Structures are given as C-alpha cells and as structure tokens.
Amino acid sequence: MPTVGVVRATRDAFGDRDRQFLLQGFRDSGSEVIEITSLDGATVYAAELSMLAGVVLDSTLTVPRPFAGAAVSIAGTDFSTTTDGRGRFQLAAPLSGQYTVTFSHTRLDSIGLIAPGQQVTLAPGRRATVTLVAPPVPTILAMHCPDTPISSTRRVLLGVVREGESRAPVAGARVLASWQRIAEAGGAVTGAVEWEATAVANSAGVYTLCGLPVGRAVTVRAEHGDMASGTARVSFQGTSVSVGWDGAFGRSYYAPYWVWKLDLLVRREK
C-alpha cells in the first residue's frame, strides 16, 4: 500500500488550509495469491491446481475457424469443459504429470472421426497451453479409406455394430450393402445390375464401407451368427444423406464431408 505524507500546509486569503501531499514510499506485506476467478466464476488461476488453456480449430471447413461447442477433456480423468464462441477453453485440475488432451463434437461424431489428441505437461500453479485441430476433409477420408479413392460420386459409410440388448460391440459382424446399377448398351438401357459391398467389423465392432454410389438407394444390413440387424436404406445426394429403416420413409441429414456414421444393432432372429 502507498504511504503518503503532508509536505506543506498553508492558508490562503480566505483562511482555507492548502495541503500538498507527497508519496513517501510503499508499505509491503507478504502474501500469496491463492486463486483468481473471472466474473462468471471460472478459475483463472489456483495455486494448488494445474491450469490448462487453449483453442480448438476446425479445419474441416475451407478456411479453418474456431470450433465452438467442442467438448475438451483430459484423457483418463473426469475433467472436461466446453469451448466458447471463439473456440477457447480453460480448465483447472488437481493433476501433475503428462496427460493427453482430446476433444469431440457431435458433428465429428456423425462422420466417425476421433480427433487426434495432444500431449501436455501439467504442474500445480502452472499454466499449460495447447492448440487442438480437427483435420481437413481429405485427411479424414484417407483415414477411413486409404485404399479406395473417394470422389464426388463415391461416399463412405461407417459405424459400430452392437448387440441389441447389451449395446456391446460385436466383433466379426458382417455388414452387407447392396444397390442397383443401370446397365446400358449402345445408349439404351438394358436392365439393372445388382452390386454389393461387404465389410467385417473389427475388434471394436467398427465397420467401414468405401465407395458407395451417389444417387442410388443402398440397403445396409449386419449379420453375425444367428443375429441380424434391421435393414437401413441409405441414399447419398450431394451434401445430404437420407436414412430410413425397414421400409420406412427416410429422414434427410446434412452430410457435407462425404462420410456418414450409421450404427447397427443386431438381435437374434425369431
């Protein structure tokens, strides 16, 4: 705190006292900042906590932008938060050591993308910063289908095959997709040809079907032993996809990334 003294005190013509003050020094008392919070109650600093701050960027767009509403978490812990409108986040946690910071978003979940995490070192009373980025669309497509070129006329369908009651992943399930392709000869339509694509779910129950056609209704069904799923009718059109089940009218979804996630539930057939 400042220490102030009076250096001169005189009276003017009206008899009023005129004082002049001089800063003589500061009085210093030992203290320690324990915690600083923002007006909304968020912890900005805490002596006994490790601070993590950063930004999440969305590179799936033509021009990378801040990713608002992304869920940021520290892997292996219960600590998480959500990015603000500028893609920024801040988190305080009683952790020390190396951790992996990950993020997710419903839009990324819809295309089966698990965004890569970042390693950070946390220490009490210290602030670590990190930048998390959702990869661009070509990278996403290459991750799903490294051996099949994906173009404006081909799409990717993926998801998890689960047991209908327990929701446990079903490894080794066979997923069958089928559609009709019009056959032509000499400019004339000669009939329809049946096309099929199959995929086998991995140990986590995940399947991937690459190269599905645009503008054709594709039926998708999963089988495993005496279990089978319902039949989905999937139709890709430009930047949208229509999905209907067991003959029901399809519902349209926005699908600009040429990838769509469709989970399949298998039950024992009666």
Side-chain angles (χ1 to χ4, degrees):
M1 295 291 292
T3 300
V4 180
V6 178
V7 296
R8 187 174 59 186
T10 60
R11 294 182 181 274
D12 57 19
F14 299 98
D16 294 329
R17 186 179 296 274
D18 180 21
R19 296 182 180 182
Q20 294 185 357
F21 298 92
L22 177 68
L23 176 63
Q24 296 178 330
F26 291 91
R27 183 175 60 188
D28 190 8
S29 179
S31 63
E32 179 183 0
V33 176
I34 302 299
E35 185 179 56
I36 302 174
T37 61
S38 61
L39 292 177
D40 61 3
T43 301
V44 177
Y45 169 82
E48 77 280 9
L49 301 178
S50 299
M51 301 302 303
L52 176 65
V55 63
V56 180
L57 301 177
D58 185 4
S59 291
T60 63
L61 306 172
T62 303
V63 178
R65 295 180 182 178
F67 211 152
V72 179
S73 60
I74 301 176
T77 75
D78 295 327
F79 297 101
S80 63
T81 187
T82 304
T83 58
D84 62 16
R86 297 182 180 180
R88 301 174 304 182
F89 67 90
Q90 189 162 266
L91 187 63
L95 302 173
S96 179
Q98 279 205 335
Y99 292 86
T100 300
V101 184
T102 63
F103 74 97
S104 62
H105 193 276
T106 53
R107 182 155 56 79
L108 299 181
D109 294 342
S110 71
I111 59 176
L113 175 64
I114 300 176
Q118 288 277 0
Q119 290 284 328
V120 296
T121 299
L122 301 178
R126 293 182 178 271
R127 182 185 180 92
T129 59
V130 64
T131 298
L132 304 171
V133 183
V137 171
T139 301
I140 296 173
L141 296 176
M143 290 168 57
H144 292 318
C145 300
D147 302 322
T148 304
I150 305 302
S151 66
S152 59
T153 61
R154 297 294 173 185
R155 296 291 189 267
V156 180
L157 185 69
L158 53 80
V160 181
V161 181
R162 300 183 184 276
E163 199 277 323
E165 300 301 328
S166 66
R167 294 300 194 271
V170 181
R174 181 171 176 264
V175 181
L176 173 66
S178 61
W179 65 94
Q180 287 187 338
R181 180 177 178 182
I182 302 301
E184 298 181 0
V189 175
T190 59
V193 179
E194 292 288 338
W195 285 70
E196 291 185 351
T198 59
V200 177
N202 63 16
S203 58
V206 177
Y207 75 91
T208 304
L209 290 166
C210 301
L212 298 186
V214 173
R216 298 288 177 188
V218 180
T219 59
V220 181
R221 188 169 185 262
E223 300 174 347
H224 185 69
D226 61 348
M227 297 188 296
S229 71
T231 299
R233 182 182 175 91
V234 181
S235 180
F236 288 100
Q237 300 286 345
T239 58
S240 67
V241 59
S242 174
V243 180
W245 289 92
D246 297 323
F249 186 75
R251 179 181 174 185
S252 184
Y253 302 90
Y254 183 52
Y257 305 115
W258 300 353
V259 182
W260 191 253
K261 185 172 183 287
L262 181 70
D263 290 345
L264 302 170
L265 299 179
V266 293
R267 294 181 172 87
R268 284 180 171 78
E269 295 183 300
K270 297 180 180 179

